PDB file of all heavy atoms in Angstrom:
ATOM      1  N   GLN S  42      -4.428   1.863   9.467  1.00 94.00           N
ATOM      2  CA  GLN S  42      -4.267   1.634   8.026  1.00 94.00           C
ATOM      3  C   GLN S  42      -5.561   1.489   7.340  1.00 94.00           C
ATOM      4  O   GLN S  42      -5.808   1.986   6.243  1.00 94.00           O
ATOM      5  CB  GLN S  42      -3.319   0.427   7.804  1.00 94.00           C
ATOM      6  CG  GLN S  42      -1.843   0.597   8.210  1.00 94.00           C
ATOM      7  CD  GLN S  42      -1.029  -0.551   7.897  1.00 94.00           C
ATOM      8  OE1 GLN S  42      -1.400  -1.732   8.271  1.00 94.00           O
ATOM      9  NE2 GLN S  42       0.160  -0.406   7.440  1.00 94.00           N
ATOM     10  N   LEU S  43      -6.503   0.758   8.014  1.00 95.00           N
ATOM     11  CA  LEU S  43      -7.786   0.604   7.495  1.00 95.00           C
ATOM     12  C   LEU S  43      -8.531   1.891   7.346  1.00 95.00           C
ATOM     13  O   LEU S  43      -9.275   2.296   6.287  1.00 95.00           O
ATOM     14  CB  LEU S  43      -8.693  -0.361   8.238  1.00 95.00           C
ATOM     15  CG  LEU S  43     -10.054  -0.555   7.778  1.00 95.00           C
ATOM     16  CD1 LEU S  43     -10.192  -1.298   6.433  1.00 95.00           C
ATOM     17  CD2 LEU S  43     -10.997  -1.303   8.844  1.00 95.00           C
ATOM     18  N   SER S  44      -8.361   2.753   8.366  1.00 95.00           N
ATOM     19  CA  SER S  44      -8.922   4.045   8.384  1.00 95.00           C
ATOM     20  C   SER S  44      -8.450   4.891   7.292  1.00 95.00           C
ATOM     21  O   SER S  44      -9.089   5.621   6.626  1.00 95.00           O
ATOM     22  CB  SER S  44      -8.780   4.768   9.732  1.00 95.00           C
ATOM     23  OG  SER S  44      -9.243   6.111   9.753  1.00 95.00           O
ATOM     24  N   ALA S  45      -7.125   4.790   7.072  1.00 94.00           N
ATOM     25  CA  ALA S  45      -6.502   5.559   5.925  1.00 94.00           C
ATOM     26  C   ALA S  45      -6.981   5.065   4.543  1.00 94.00           C
ATOM     27  O   ALA S  45      -7.203   5.918   3.646  1.00 94.00           O
ATOM     28  CB  ALA S  45      -5.005   5.389   6.010  1.00 94.00           C
ATOM     29  N   ILE S  46      -7.203   3.810   4.439  1.00 94.00           N
ATOM     30  CA  ILE S  46      -7.736   3.198   3.246  1.00 94.00           C
ATOM     31  C   ILE S  46      -9.193   3.748   2.956  1.00 94.00           C
ATOM     32  O   ILE S  46      -9.488   4.227   1.853  1.00 94.00           O
ATOM     33  CB  ILE S  46      -7.857   1.698   3.209  1.00 94.00           C
ATOM     34  CG1 ILE S  46      -6.334   1.142   3.197  1.00 94.00           C
ATOM     35  CG2 ILE S  46      -8.598   1.070   2.102  1.00 94.00           C
ATOM     36  CD1 ILE S  46      -6.299  -0.328   3.485  1.00 94.00           C
ATOM     37  N   GLU S  47      -9.927   3.796   3.985  1.00 94.00           N
ATOM     38  CA  GLU S  47     -11.349   4.242   3.897  1.00 94.00           C
ATOM     39  C   GLU S  47     -11.460   5.778   3.613  1.00 94.00           C
ATOM     40  O   GLU S  47     -12.515   6.216   3.159  1.00 94.00           O
ATOM     41  CB  GLU S  47     -12.164   3.859   5.077  1.00 94.00           C
ATOM     42  CG  GLU S  47     -12.410   2.365   5.171  1.00 94.00           C
ATOM     43  CD  GLU S  47     -13.318   1.925   6.267  1.00 94.00           C
ATOM     44  OE1 GLU S  47     -13.568   2.743   7.129  1.00 94.00           O
ATOM     45  OE2 GLU S  47     -13.717   0.711   6.311  1.00 94.00           O
ATOM     46  N   GLN S  48     -10.465   6.529   3.855  1.00 93.00           N
ATOM     47  CA  GLN S  48     -10.412   7.912   3.626  1.00 93.00           C
ATOM     48  C   GLN S  48      -9.741   8.192   2.333  1.00 93.00           C
ATOM     49  O   GLN S  48      -9.631   9.403   1.812  1.00 93.00           O
ATOM     50  CB  GLN S  48      -9.641   8.670   4.748  1.00 93.00           C
ATOM     51  CG  GLN S  48     -10.294   8.619   6.115  1.00 93.00           C
ATOM     52  CD  GLN S  48      -9.435   9.334   7.150  1.00 93.00           C
ATOM     53  OE1 GLN S  48      -9.259  10.574   7.056  1.00 93.00           O
ATOM     54  NE2 GLN S  48      -8.956   8.523   8.085  1.00 93.00           N
ATOM     55  N   GLY S  49      -9.209   7.194   1.628  1.00 91.00           N
ATOM     56  CA  GLY S  49      -8.570   7.434   0.308  1.00 91.00           C
ATOM     57  C   GLY S  49      -7.100   7.832   0.445  1.00 91.00           C
ATOM     58  O   GLY S  49      -6.482   8.240  -0.485  1.00 91.00           O
ATOM     59  N   LEU S  50      -6.590   7.769   1.764  1.00 92.00           N
ATOM     60  CA  LEU S  50      -5.214   8.290   1.980  1.00 92.00           C
ATOM     61  C   LEU S  50      -4.241   7.202   1.686  1.00 92.00           C
ATOM     62  O   LEU S  50      -3.032   7.444   1.541  1.00 92.00           O
ATOM     63  CB  LEU S  50      -5.077   8.690   3.420  1.00 92.00           C
ATOM     64  CG  LEU S  50      -5.812   9.951   3.823  1.00 92.00           C
ATOM     65  CD1 LEU S  50      -5.825  10.138   5.327  1.00 92.00           C
ATOM     66  CD2 LEU S  50      -5.335  11.169   3.091  1.00 92.00           C
ATOM     67  N   ARG S  51      -4.610   5.876   1.634  1.00 91.00           N
ATOM     68  CA  ARG S  51      -3.823   4.802   1.228  1.00 91.00           C
ATOM     69  C   ARG S  51      -4.494   4.000   0.240  1.00 91.00           C
ATOM     70  O   ARG S  51      -5.752   3.739   0.244  1.00 91.00           O
ATOM     71  CB  ARG S  51      -3.509   3.912   2.473  1.00 91.00           C
ATOM     72  CG  ARG S  51      -2.709   4.571   3.533  1.00 91.00           C
ATOM     73  CD  ARG S  51      -2.370   3.643   4.682  1.00 91.00           C
ATOM     74  NE  ARG S  51      -1.357   2.723   4.286  1.00 91.00           N
ATOM     75  CZ  ARG S  51      -0.065   2.831   4.487  1.00 91.00           C
ATOM     76  NH1 ARG S  51       0.341   3.992   5.078  1.00 91.00           N
ATOM     77  NH2 ARG S  51       0.791   1.973   4.084  1.00 91.00           N
ATOM     78  N   ALA S  52      -3.711   3.508  -0.784  1.00 89.00           N
ATOM     79  CA  ALA S  52      -4.255   2.730  -1.850  1.00 89.00           C
ATOM     80  C   ALA S  52      -4.511   1.364  -1.332  1.00 89.00           C
ATOM     81  O   ALA S  52      -3.911   0.920  -0.340  1.00 89.00           O
ATOM     82  CB  ALA S  52      -3.323   2.682  -3.009  1.00 89.00           C
ATOM     83  N   VAL S  53      -5.420   0.600  -1.980  1.00 91.00           N
ATOM     84  CA  VAL S  53      -5.702  -0.738  -1.582  1.00 91.00           C
ATOM     85  C   VAL S  53      -5.522  -1.651  -2.901  1.00 91.00           C
ATOM     86  O   VAL S  53      -5.950  -1.153  -3.862  1.00 91.00           O
ATOM     87  CB  VAL S  53      -6.991  -0.874  -1.000  1.00 91.00           C
ATOM     88  CG1 VAL S  53      -8.164  -0.544  -1.987  1.00 91.00           C
ATOM     89  CG2 VAL S  53      -7.310  -2.369  -0.477  1.00 91.00           C
ATOM     90  N   SER S  54      -4.927  -2.786  -2.733  1.00 91.00           N
ATOM     91  CA  SER S  54      -4.686  -3.723  -3.914  1.00 91.00           C
ATOM     92  C   SER S  54      -6.025  -4.305  -4.160  1.00 91.00           C
ATOM     93  O   SER S  54      -7.056  -4.421  -3.458  1.00 91.00           O
ATOM     94  CB  SER S  54      -3.730  -4.819  -3.463  1.00 91.00           C
ATOM     95  OG  SER S  54      -4.225  -5.645  -2.573  1.00 91.00           O
ATOM     96  N   THR S  55      -6.120  -4.744  -5.513  1.00 92.00           N
ATOM     97  CA  THR S  55      -7.365  -5.338  -5.983  1.00 92.00           C
ATOM     98  C   THR S  55      -7.629  -6.603  -5.281  1.00 92.00           C
ATOM     99  O   THR S  55      -8.762  -6.993  -5.048  1.00 92.00           O
ATOM    100  CB  THR S  55      -7.418  -5.528  -7.534  1.00 92.00           C
ATOM    101  OG1 THR S  55      -6.189  -6.280  -7.801  1.00 92.00           O
ATOM    102  CG2 THR S  55      -7.231  -4.182  -8.242  1.00 92.00           C
ATOM    103  N   GLU S  56      -6.582  -7.382  -4.914  1.00 93.00           N
ATOM    104  CA  GLU S  56      -6.661  -8.515  -4.137  1.00 93.00           C
ATOM    105  C   GLU S  56      -7.349  -8.341  -2.773  1.00 93.00           C
ATOM    106  O   GLU S  56      -8.227  -9.031  -2.431  1.00 93.00           O
ATOM    107  CB  GLU S  56      -5.307  -9.219  -3.908  1.00 93.00           C
ATOM    108  CG  GLU S  56      -5.361 -10.560  -3.222  1.00 93.00           C
ATOM    109  CD  GLU S  56      -3.946 -11.218  -2.988  1.00 93.00           C
ATOM    110  OE1 GLU S  56      -3.028 -10.598  -3.480  1.00 93.00           O
ATOM    111  OE2 GLU S  56      -3.901 -12.245  -2.392  1.00 93.00           O
ATOM    112  N   ARG S  57      -6.829  -7.228  -2.104  1.00 93.00           N
ATOM    113  CA  ARG S  57      -7.454  -7.053  -0.797  1.00 93.00           C
ATOM    114  C   ARG S  57      -8.866  -6.543  -0.953  1.00 93.00           C
ATOM    115  O   ARG S  57      -9.804  -6.840  -0.122  1.00 93.00           O
ATOM    116  CB  ARG S  57      -6.678  -5.966  -0.138  1.00 93.00           C
ATOM    117  CG  ARG S  57      -5.308  -6.438   0.627  1.00 93.00           C
ATOM    118  CD  ARG S  57      -4.836  -5.418   1.555  1.00 93.00           C
ATOM    119  NE  ARG S  57      -3.863  -5.990   2.478  1.00 93.00           N
ATOM    120  CZ  ARG S  57      -2.536  -5.716   2.493  1.00 93.00           C
ATOM    121  NH1 ARG S  57      -1.921  -5.015   1.561  1.00 93.00           N
ATOM    122  NH2 ARG S  57      -1.816  -6.345   3.434  1.00 93.00           N
ATOM    123  N   LEU S  58      -9.144  -5.784  -1.991  1.00 94.00           N
ATOM    124  CA  LEU S  58     -10.467  -5.257  -2.220  1.00 94.00           C
ATOM    125  C   LEU S  58     -11.488  -6.462  -2.481  1.00 94.00           C
ATOM    126  O   LEU S  58     -12.545  -6.457  -1.800  1.00 94.00           O
ATOM    127  CB  LEU S  58     -10.539  -4.296  -3.444  1.00 94.00           C
ATOM    128  CG  LEU S  58     -11.889  -3.629  -3.723  1.00 94.00           C
ATOM    129  CD1 LEU S  58     -11.564  -2.291  -4.453  1.00 94.00           C
ATOM    130  CD2 LEU S  58     -12.675  -4.394  -4.640  1.00 94.00           C
ATOM    131  N   ARG S  59     -11.117  -7.377  -3.259  1.00 94.00           N
ATOM    132  CA  ARG S  59     -11.911  -8.574  -3.520  1.00 94.00           C
ATOM    133  C   ARG S  59     -12.116  -9.392  -2.225  1.00 94.00           C
ATOM    134  O   ARG S  59     -13.138 -10.009  -2.002  1.00 94.00           O
ATOM    135  CB  ARG S  59     -11.364  -9.351  -4.668  1.00 94.00           C
ATOM    136  CG  ARG S  59     -11.442  -8.614  -6.083  1.00 94.00           C
ATOM    137  CD  ARG S  59     -10.808  -9.507  -7.190  1.00 94.00           C
ATOM    138  NE  ARG S  59     -10.857  -8.728  -8.365  1.00 94.00           N
ATOM    139  CZ  ARG S  59     -11.892  -8.709  -9.264  1.00 94.00           C
ATOM    140  NH1 ARG S  59     -13.078  -9.353  -8.878  1.00 94.00           N
ATOM    141  NH2 ARG S  59     -11.835  -8.047 -10.382  1.00 94.00           N
ATOM    142  N   THR S  60     -11.078  -9.485  -1.497  1.00 94.00           N
ATOM    143  CA  THR S  60     -11.009 -10.259  -0.195  1.00 94.00           C
ATOM    144  C   THR S  60     -12.175  -9.637   0.729  1.00 94.00           C
ATOM    145  O   THR S  60     -12.983 -10.384   1.310  1.00 94.00           O
ATOM    146  CB  THR S  60      -9.735 -10.271   0.484  1.00 94.00           C
ATOM    147  OG1 THR S  60      -8.778 -10.975  -0.296  1.00 94.00           O
ATOM    148  CG2 THR S  60      -9.818 -10.924   1.846  1.00 94.00           C
ATOM    149  N   LEU S  61     -12.084  -8.285   0.869  1.00 95.00           N
ATOM    150  CA  LEU S  61     -13.132  -7.651   1.636  1.00 95.00           C
ATOM    151  C   LEU S  61     -14.500  -7.824   1.180  1.00 95.00           C
ATOM    152  O   LEU S  61     -15.460  -8.056   1.856  1.00 95.00           O
ATOM    153  CB  LEU S  61     -12.748  -6.168   1.865  1.00 95.00           C
ATOM    154  CG  LEU S  61     -13.692  -5.396   2.774  1.00 95.00           C
ATOM    155  CD1 LEU S  61     -13.633  -5.947   4.214  1.00 95.00           C
ATOM    156  CD2 LEU S  61     -13.284  -3.872   2.742  1.00 95.00           C
ATOM    157  N   ALA S  62     -14.692  -7.696  -0.130  1.00 95.00           N
ATOM    158  CA  ALA S  62     -15.975  -7.785  -0.822  1.00 95.00           C
ATOM    159  C   ALA S  62     -16.520  -9.274  -0.562  1.00 95.00           C
ATOM    160  O   ALA S  62     -17.765  -9.369  -0.236  1.00 95.00           O
ATOM    161  CB  ALA S  62     -15.815  -7.533  -2.267  1.00 95.00           C
ATOM    162  N   HIS S  63     -15.666 -10.223  -0.596  1.00 95.00           N
ATOM    163  CA  HIS S  63     -16.097 -11.692  -0.358  1.00 95.00           C
ATOM    164  C   HIS S  63     -16.517 -11.798   1.113  1.00 95.00           C
ATOM    165  O   HIS S  63     -17.556 -12.441   1.390  1.00 95.00           O
ATOM    166  CB  HIS S  63     -14.975 -12.560  -0.672  1.00 95.00           C
ATOM    167  CG  HIS S  63     -15.273 -14.002  -0.404  1.00 95.00           C
ATOM    168  ND1 HIS S  63     -16.074 -14.755  -1.159  1.00 95.00           N
ATOM    169  CD2 HIS S  63     -14.902 -14.768   0.592  1.00 95.00           C
ATOM    170  CE1 HIS S  63     -16.279 -16.054  -0.586  1.00 95.00           C
ATOM    171  NE2 HIS S  63     -15.435 -16.062   0.427  1.00 95.00           N
ATOM    172  N   HIS S  64     -15.701 -11.178   2.056  1.00 94.00           N
ATOM    173  CA  HIS S  64     -16.087 -11.351   3.405  1.00 94.00           C
ATOM    174  C   HIS S  64     -17.361 -10.646   3.740  1.00 94.00           C
ATOM    175  O   HIS S  64     -18.096 -11.050   4.695  1.00 94.00           O
ATOM    176  CB  HIS S  64     -14.841 -10.832   4.262  1.00 94.00           C
ATOM    177  CG  HIS S  64     -15.075 -10.970   5.767  1.00 94.00           C
ATOM    178  ND1 HIS S  64     -14.667 -12.238   6.326  1.00 94.00           N
ATOM    179  CD2 HIS S  64     -15.584 -10.181   6.722  1.00 94.00           C
ATOM    180  CE1 HIS S  64     -15.014 -11.980   7.700  1.00 94.00           C
ATOM    181  NE2 HIS S  64     -15.533 -10.838   7.886  1.00 94.00           N
ATOM    182  N   CYS S  65     -17.665  -9.505   3.085  1.00 95.00           N
ATOM    183  CA  CYS S  65     -18.807  -8.751   3.288  1.00 95.00           C
ATOM    184  C   CYS S  65     -20.024  -9.374   2.539  1.00 95.00           C
ATOM    185  O   CYS S  65     -21.146  -8.775   2.617  1.00 95.00           O
ATOM    186  CB  CYS S  65     -18.689  -7.288   2.856  1.00 95.00           C
ATOM    187  SG  CYS S  65     -17.444  -6.410   3.954  1.00 95.00           S
ATOM    188  N   GLY S  66     -19.827 -10.335   1.756  1.00 95.00           N
ATOM    189  CA  GLY S  66     -20.928 -10.951   1.074  1.00 95.00           C
ATOM    190  C   GLY S  66     -21.525 -10.215   0.012  1.00 95.00           C
ATOM    191  O   GLY S  66     -22.589 -10.335  -0.397  1.00 95.00           O
ATOM    192  N   THR S  67     -20.663  -9.333  -0.619  1.00 93.00           N
ATOM    193  CA  THR S  67     -21.086  -8.515  -1.818  1.00 93.00           C
ATOM    194  C   THR S  67     -21.212  -9.418  -3.027  1.00 93.00           C
ATOM    195  O   THR S  67     -20.198  -9.877  -3.619  1.00 93.00           O
ATOM    196  CB  THR S  67     -20.055  -7.411  -1.998  1.00 93.00           C
ATOM    197  OG1 THR S  67     -19.883  -6.649  -0.815  1.00 93.00           O
ATOM    198  CG2 THR S  67     -20.605  -6.459  -3.168  1.00 93.00           C
ATOM    199  N   ALA S  68     -22.418  -9.681  -3.464  1.00 90.00           N
ATOM    200  CA  ALA S  68     -22.623 -10.564  -4.521  1.00 90.00           C
ATOM    201  C   ALA S  68     -22.628  -9.992  -5.865  1.00 90.00           C
ATOM    202  O   ALA S  68     -22.552 -10.731  -6.938  1.00 90.00           O
ATOM    203  CB  ALA S  68     -23.946 -11.293  -4.309  1.00 90.00           C
ATOM    204  N   ASP S  69     -22.663  -8.755  -6.038  1.00 93.00           N
ATOM    205  CA  ASP S  69     -22.678  -8.003  -7.327  1.00 93.00           C
ATOM    206  C   ASP S  69     -21.234  -8.107  -7.937  1.00 93.00           C
ATOM    207  O   ASP S  69     -20.453  -7.209  -7.712  1.00 93.00           O
ATOM    208  CB  ASP S  69     -23.136  -6.663  -7.175  1.00 93.00           C
ATOM    209  CG  ASP S  69     -23.461  -5.909  -8.542  1.00 93.00           C
ATOM    210  OD1 ASP S  69     -22.856  -6.367  -9.619  1.00 93.00           O
ATOM    211  OD2 ASP S  69     -24.234  -5.047  -8.548  1.00 93.00           O
TER     212      ASP S  69
END
Side-chain angles (χ1 to χ4, degrees):
Q42 286 175 320
L43 177 68
S44 177
I46 289 172
E47 293 184 345
Q48 294 178 66
L50 295 171
R51 297 183 72 93
V53 61
S54 68
T55 56
E56 180 182 359
R57 278 193 166 111
L58 185 150
R59 291 179 183 278
T60 296
L61 183 62
H63 176 76
H64 186 82
C65 292
T67 305
D69 190 334

